[in-house]
Amino acid sequence: MTPDVNPKEDVWLVYDGECPVCKTYCKYIRIRAAVGNLHLVDARQPGELMDEITRLGLDIDQGMVLKFKDAIYYGSDAIHMLTLLSTPSGVFNRINYYVFSTQVGSKIFYPIGKAFRTLLLKLLGIRRIENLKKNSKTSVS
């Protein structure tokens, strides 16, 4: 029996579980089966991955986080990497690939999506996650 030279890796996507845009994106994004399993993590729920993100000083209100092969991708880099891992099947994934498959596209369109998300959350009265503020409150004694 030969060893698996390309073992599957789990992919962890941290998103805002109260944001309608984020939830919709996570509902439709599909990664290639050869990559591994996609795990969706709600940033509003406490957990080890959120603790790691906060320790790294990443503001989850300013960008999504993707963890893959022990690397952390943030904001436009996260959506770019997720797009590269995604399957091209379905209209949503094809559009996603067209927009975010290049670094340039990700750097241009991710901030636009983030601004739309921020405005939508304000209009809907959904509070920010503020993971960095929560961490500073608990570390001050």
Side-chain angles (χ1 to χ4, degrees):
M1 188 159 73
T2 60
D4 189 0
V5 293
N6 191 11
K8 291 182 181 182
E9 296 279 343
D10 283 341
V11 179
W12 302 85
L13 177 61
V14 182
Y15 73 104
D16 183 352
E18 289 186 22
C19 171
V21 175
C22 302
K23 287 192 303 189
T24 302
Y25 181 85
C26 290
K27 179 179 177 180
Y28 291 106
I29 193 71
R30 299 288 180 262
I31 63 170
R32 288 179 270 132
V35 173
N37 296 314
L38 176 63
H39 301 276
L40 302 176
V41 178
D42 184 347
R44 294 183 183 270
Q45 302 302 317
E48 289 180 33
L49 186 51
M50 273 307 297
D51 291 343
E52 181 180 1
I53 289 166
T54 301
R55 275 193 308 275
L56 291 170
L58 302 177
D59 184 348
I60 200 71
D61 289 311
Q62 295 303 313
M64 64 172 33
V65 173
L66 182 79
K67 185 171 185 178
F68 178 60
K69 293 188 177 185
D70 293 324
I72 300 283
Y73 301 90
Y74 179 64
S76 63
D77 293 330
I79 202 162
H80 174 67
M81 177 58 75
L82 186 58
T83 299
L84 297 179
L85 299 173
S86 297
T87 175
S89 64
V91 173
F92 175 82
N93 286 300
R94 282 194 294 274
I95 292 170
N96 187 63
Y97 187 82
Y98 179 74
V99 174
F100 297 111
S101 64
T102 66
Q103 286 284 349
V104 173
S106 297
K107 298 271 187 231
I108 292 170
F109 292 108
Y110 187 81
I112 294 168
K114 188 175 71 167
F116 175 74
R117 174 194 174 268
T118 301
L119 178 62
L120 182 63
L121 293 183
K122 278 186 182 182
L123 291 173
L124 295 175
I126 298 173
R127 63 179 172 70
R128 297 169 58 88
I129 297 170
E130 299 184 329
N131 63 306
L132 298 182
K133 285 185 180 180
K134 290 175 188 171
N135 187 48
S136 65
K137 287 178 186 176
T138 58
S139 63
V140 176
S141 300

